Amino acid sequence: MSYPYQIKSFEEYQQAYKRSVQDPEGFWGDVAENFTWRKKWDKVLEWNFKEPKVEWFKGGKLNITENCIDRHLETMGEKPAIIWEPNNPEERTRTVTYNRLHKRVCQVAQMLKNNGVKKGDRVCIYMGMVPELAYAILGCARIGAIHSVIFGGFSAQSIADRLEDANAEFIITCDGAYRGEKVIPLKNVIDDALIGNKTVKKVIVYTRTRTPVSMIKGRDIWWEDEMEFAEHQVEKEGKVFFEAEAMDAEDPLFILYTSGSTGKPKGVVHSSGGYMVWTNYTFVNVFQYQQGQIHFCTADIGWITGHSYIVYGPLSAGGTSLMFEGIPTYPSCSRFFDIVDKYKVNILYTAPTAIRSLIGFGDEPYKNNDLSSLQILGTVGEPINEEAWHWYDEHIGKKKCPIVDTWWQTETGGVLISNLAGITPAKPSWATLPLPGVQPILVDEKGEAITKKDEQGLLKGNLCIKAPWPSILRTTYGDHERCRTNYFATYENLYFTSDGALKDENGFYRITGRVDDVLNVSGHRIGTAEVENAINMHAGVVESAVVGYPHDIKGQGIYAYVIIDGKHAADDEQTRKNILQTVTRVIGPIAKPDKIQFVKGLPKTRSGKIMRRILRKIAEGETQNLGDTTTLLDPNVVDEIKNGKL
Ligand code: WTA
């Protein structure tokens, strides 16, 4: 497979960028010609950010799985699509060729059909990182069902909320998942999530850990049995066949829930045509992917990074995607690099938090490994600090691998701002230049473009995008107005990212982090309001306020100020543990505060608004310059909070 749209020089990048802005329809129409369409589109792009309404390749018909699988079979059927490394390195690894992937995805599609799943139905997937997770995703896409993958670190309550929001009728899960030394009992969590649920009809359970599970008659069925039955249906005379559903380019492909500044996570909806084109285009260009290379993205498929750069991007490009079940520190801190060495990985894509956690081990993580196969390194999920960048460059890349710092979001579907490996320049801790088709702008509070440079000659403002790229979110599931108010209403005719950024004289961008109440903890997005809601559910809690503070490894830690009523005042340590337990129940272990400080009052304005700015400063360790406190109802609470800081 060749990629005629792969940019090979800085000049080509400039030309592509220019054309993508002047003639987006011509530009993306040409790129889209490189895919398999059942019917060509009538119109490349129609849009307005007012409603918002964005339609790419309207009238076009396709199935993304034909692009990710079928079109590769003739020439690459026996090439590896997915290489799977189990949690336990002693266990047998698995290599899934494109032929095998085709068969398995056809079987899943047939299995889903047998169980009544139809185009447009929502299927919730809650599994560990096993190849069957990829089959499940692609099986849904093949029949046009909308998948909604939920990360294994979310609690039953979080799953229940998502099932309800998506009106999901089907679930695919595992008995359990291995994560380092631990076994997470996924099916049990699903059972808890289903108490009181009225929409789910079937739960398909894949066996991974042999964790005991309860199987409810008429509702719960085994993956293995169903797949075996389906195998006979899709296989005829040695040939495998399951007709893929022809989807409209704008039909939804999946929902992925993500945190915002309000209490309730939003179901971000991506379409099939635009998302396919963008994940492929960015995969091929940002990583400069070459046929035969092994791409190792360490993310979990429960997050957007896994969707786009383990599954859809690499597979649509006929690539080889390495999927790892475990964690970076098991059985030892060299695990990522044991894997790089073992499979001769060429591209490693990971998160700054993982890099920072490895730095603490000195040369232990890599000293016994041959890393000479590595050609390109990438990071995603949060700003990368210079120390981590240089460590990655020197010790992992041996100063010969370009590092791509890729900025993007669940809502953007794929990378929007990044250098292209070895093609456009890198600058440590800068995401650098926008991809073709991406038109960033920095604005002030009023939405006016920033034109005045600061002392360092940089522009600084809120990062917005002026026009749609093919994989911009289309809506938030079941609530389009929420999509509009969240992303398109802050500034007229702009998509607002909620990130702050700097821009230098070369037009390079540096993302400085969220400007809303969303935390980025170890690359995971968590809304402060969500955590507050969970804490407030705990008996005895009167009120709470949650802010982020700088954390050496996680990037941001969660700091909670909690008012507790006198009646329940057991000892503080016990109360802290109990609150953590409640947060784990309500959201999941990923949202547990790192610090809980009990306070008597919170700094509020006369109108009752919590002054988070002050709390943030105190959590950061600032005691002097807390800014203007004169508008506070009771300025004394600030001293009390300062004195009790953890
Ligand atoms: C942050 C992850 C700086 C940013 C793909 C964004 C980054 C949020 C970078 C989205 C980066 C992501 N540099 N910050 N290279 N990449 N972010 O939805 O704050 O989980 O808004 O998507 O992560 O997180 P999400």
Side-chain angles (χ1 to χ4, degrees):
M1 202 183 181
S2 66
Y3 316 112
Y5 45 89
Q6 191 170 53
I7 294 166
K8 299 307 301 169
S9 67
F10 192 63
E11 292 67 42
E12 271 181 45
Y13 161 75
Q14 287 174 310
Q15 284 160 11
Y17 188 81
K18 200 164 155 203
R19 179 165 177 236
S20 75
V21 171
Q22 288 171 350
D23 176 20
E25 296 204 45
F27 184 85
W28 292 109
D30 284 355
V31 173
E33 292 286 353
N34 294 284
F35 295 80
T36 301
W37 297 83
R38 292 277 189 88
K39 174 179 168 284
K40 201 175 158 171
W41 53 90
D42 304 318
K43 182 98 176 75
V44 174
L45 173 63
E46 261 177 38
W47 68 285
N48 73 69
F49 276 172
K50 223 176 174 54
E51 297 177 49
K53 182 173 107 178
V54 179
E55 293 177 321
W56 282 93
F57 313 112
K58 195 176 173 188
K61 294 245 180 228
L62 78 155
N63 187 288
I64 196 167
T65 70
E66 289 186 334
N67 285 277
C68 287
I69 307 171
D70 303 51
R71 66 169 173 159
H72 309 316
L73 295 180
E74 200 172 316
T75 54
M76 297 189 296
E78 287 306 301
K79 294 261 160 63
I82 297 173
I83 296 174
W84 179 73
E85 166 75 3
N87 179 59
N88 177 352
E90 309 282 308
E91 196 185 328
R92 190 174 58 90
T93 73
R94 287 159 67 183
T95 298
V96 183
T97 62
Y98 275 98
N99 281 332
R100 176 53 59 104
L101 181 64
H102 176 242
K103 180 170 173 187
R104 292 290 180 250
V105 170
C106 286
Q107 279 174 262
V108 173
Q110 181 69 50
M111 161 173 83
L112 293 172
K113 191 176 162 189
N114 292 346
N115 283 288
V117 183
K118 299 179 307 297
K119 177 178 172 181
D121 287 347
R122 276 80 49 221
V123 178
C124 160
I125 302 179
Y126 187 66
M127 300 173 86
M129 286 284 284
V130 286
E132 284 69 19
L133 165 55
Y135 308 160
I137 287 176
L138 294 163
C140 287
R142 196 153 183 100
I143 63 168
I146 303 170
H147 57 77
S148 166
V149 183
I150 302 179
F151 175 62
F154 281 112
S155 70
Q157 183 61 50
S158 294
I159 299 168
D161 294 344
R162 286 159 172 76
L163 288 172
E164 188 183 316
D165 188 79
N167 254 303
E169 293 178 65
F170 304 93
I171 297 178
I172 307 177
T173 188
C174 300
D175 52 354
Y178 293 118
R179 276 184 70 75
E181 305 272 1
K182 289 196 210 131
V183 179
I184 320 283
L186 297 180
K187 173 63 165 65
N188 289 345
V189 180
I190 289 290
D191 289 337
D192 288 344
L194 285 176
I195 296 171
N197 175 288
K198 297 207 170 49
T199 54
V200 173
K201 294 183 197 148
K202 285 269 158 74
V203 181
I204 302 175
V205 186
Y206 171 73
T207 312
R208 172 66 185 126
T209 55
R210 304 215 164 262
T211 304
V213 294
S214 123
M215 294 292 282
I216 301 295
K217 206 181 287 165
R219 186 194 73 184
D220 300 350
I221 51 183
W222 292 109
W223 166 287
E224 292 76 12
D225 297 345
E226 298 293 312
M227 284 289 273
E228 196 187 320
F229 187 70
E231 187 168 8
H232 302 302
Q233 295 171 287
V234 299
E235 207 165 26
K236 293 216 174 64
E237 289 148 21
K239 282 211 164 50
V240 174
F241 185 78
F242 184 94
E243 173 80 10
E245 186 78 27
M247 304 295 286
D248 196 279
E250 278 301 323
D251 278 337
L253 175 64
F254 66 84
I255 305 172
L256 188 57
Y257 284 87
T258 190
S259 295
S261 43
T262 52
K264 205 172 136 230
K266 302 176 284 257
V268 168
V269 177
H270 282 290
S271 73
S272 40
Y275 178 81
M276 168 182 77
V277 169
W278 191 260
T279 50
N280 178 290
Y281 184 84
T282 51
F283 176 69
V284 162
N285 279 298
V286 171
F287 299 105
Q288 288 291 303
Y289 188 77
Q290 306 297 319
Q291 272 300 299
Q293 283 182 327
I294 297 180
H295 175 78
F296 177 20
C297 166
T298 69
D300 191 288
I301 293 181
W303 306 106
I304 190 71
T305 306
H307 281 60
S308 301
Y309 300 110
I310 296 178
V311 183
Y312 289 111
L315 297 180
S316 67
T320 300
S321 187
L322 196 144
M323 184 173 173
F324 171 43
E325 183 183 35
I327 57 170
T329 49
Y330 177 83
S332 81
C333 65
S334 66
R335 188 64 191 277
F336 277 176
F337 308 108
D338 294 344
I339 295 174
V340 168
D341 194 345
K342 179 169 173 186
Y343 299 98
K344 304 296 165 219
V345 166
N346 306 110
I347 306 172
L348 175 65
Y349 189 31
T350 193
T353 185
I355 298 170
R356 287 192 303 264
S357 72
L358 296 177
I359 293 178
F361 294 98
D363 61 1
E364 212 45 48
Y366 54 83
K367 72 169 189 223
N368 293 322
N369 296 115
D370 174 7
L371 303 183
S372 62
S373 59
L374 283 174
Q375 295 171 328
I376 284 154
L377 304 176
T379 71
V380 58
E382 52 177 316
I384 179 162
N385 48 312
E386 292 203 26
E387 188 200 354
W389 196 98
H390 287 294
W391 184 88
Y392 203 29
D393 182 38
E394 280 165 36
H395 301 292
I396 308 308
K398 317 288 182 202
K399 293 206 153 200
K400 66 173 181 55
C401 302
I403 299 178
V404 290
D405 177 352
T406 66
W407 172 81
W408 56 297
Q409 312 177 297
T410 305
E411 294 85 347
T412 71
V415 177
L416 293 199
I417 303 181
S418 173
N419 49 319
L420 310 181
I423 302 292
T424 65
K427 180 172 174 181
S429 87
W430 288 66
T432 74
L433 294 167
L435 270 281
V438 177
Q439 301 181 48
I441 176 174
L442 298 181
V443 301
D444 64 16
E445 296 297 313
K446 295 200 194 80
E448 304 288 337
I450 306 277
T451 49
K452 224 175 131 242
K453 294 183 177 157
D454 68 6
E455 317 77 71
Q456 280 127 24
L458 303 171
L459 298 173
K460 181 170 194 263
N462 290 343
L463 178 63
C464 294
I465 317 282
K466 283 192 264 188
W469 59 97
S471 68
I472 187 172
L473 85 160
R474 299 302 195 264
T475 189
T476 44
Y477 192 80
D479 192 349
H480 194 61
E481 178 58 13
R482 190 151 182 234
C483 172
R484 190 187 71 81
T485 50
N486 259 288
Y487 306 105
F488 300 93
T490 316
Y491 306 116
E492 207 174 329
N493 287 324
L494 296 175
Y495 165 80
F496 178 36
T497 65
S498 295
D499 275 320
L502 303 170
K503 185 179 179 183
D504 74 4
E505 70 284 0
N506 298 314
F508 288 8
Y509 289 88
R510 176 185 190 150
I511 314 301
T512 48
R514 303 285 299 198
V515 295
D516 59 0
D517 288 322
V518 170
L519 307 179
N520 193 328
V521 180
S522 300
H524 299 162
R525 258 169 82 166
I526 297 166
T528 52
E530 249 178 283
V531 183
E532 286 166 9
N533 290 349
I535 295 175
N536 294 349
M537 282 173 73
H538 189 75
V541 170
V542 179
E543 198 177 7
S544 65
V546 166
V547 296
Y549 71 96
H551 187 287
D552 284 349
I553 289 173
K554 298 179 176 185
Q556 265 188 315
I558 305 180
Y559 198 116
Y561 299 91
V562 177
I563 306 177
I564 203 109
D565 76 24
K567 293 195 286 289
H568 287 80
D571 77 281
D572 282 3
E573 222 19 67
Q574 187 64 32
T575 311
R576 266 194 197 100
K577 285 188 191 147
N578 292 343
I579 291 175
L580 292 182
Q581 195 59 28
T582 300
V583 173
T584 305
R585 281 259 166 235
V586 178
I587 307 177
I590 56 172
K592 282 197 292 198
D594 300 273
K595 294 184 179 176
I596 297 178
Q597 180 184 345
F598 296 112
V599 296
K600 292 215 176 60
L602 291 166
K604 288 188 178 173
T605 61
R606 284 187 187 98
S607 57
K609 217 170 149 279
I610 297 175
M611 300 267 280
R612 289 164 181 289
R613 175 176 51 81
I614 295 175
L615 293 175
R616 225 174 277 133
K617 288 217 159 145
I618 296 174
E620 282 164 10
E622 176 71 63
T623 49
Q624 297 308 316
N625 305 313
L626 295 177
D628 184 11
T629 52
T630 53
T631 54
L632 285 180
L633 189 61
D634 176 11
N636 293 330
V637 298
V638 176
D639 289 326
E640 192 242 345
I641 295 174
K642 271 199 305 203
N643 295 337
K645 186 188 173 296
L646 301 173

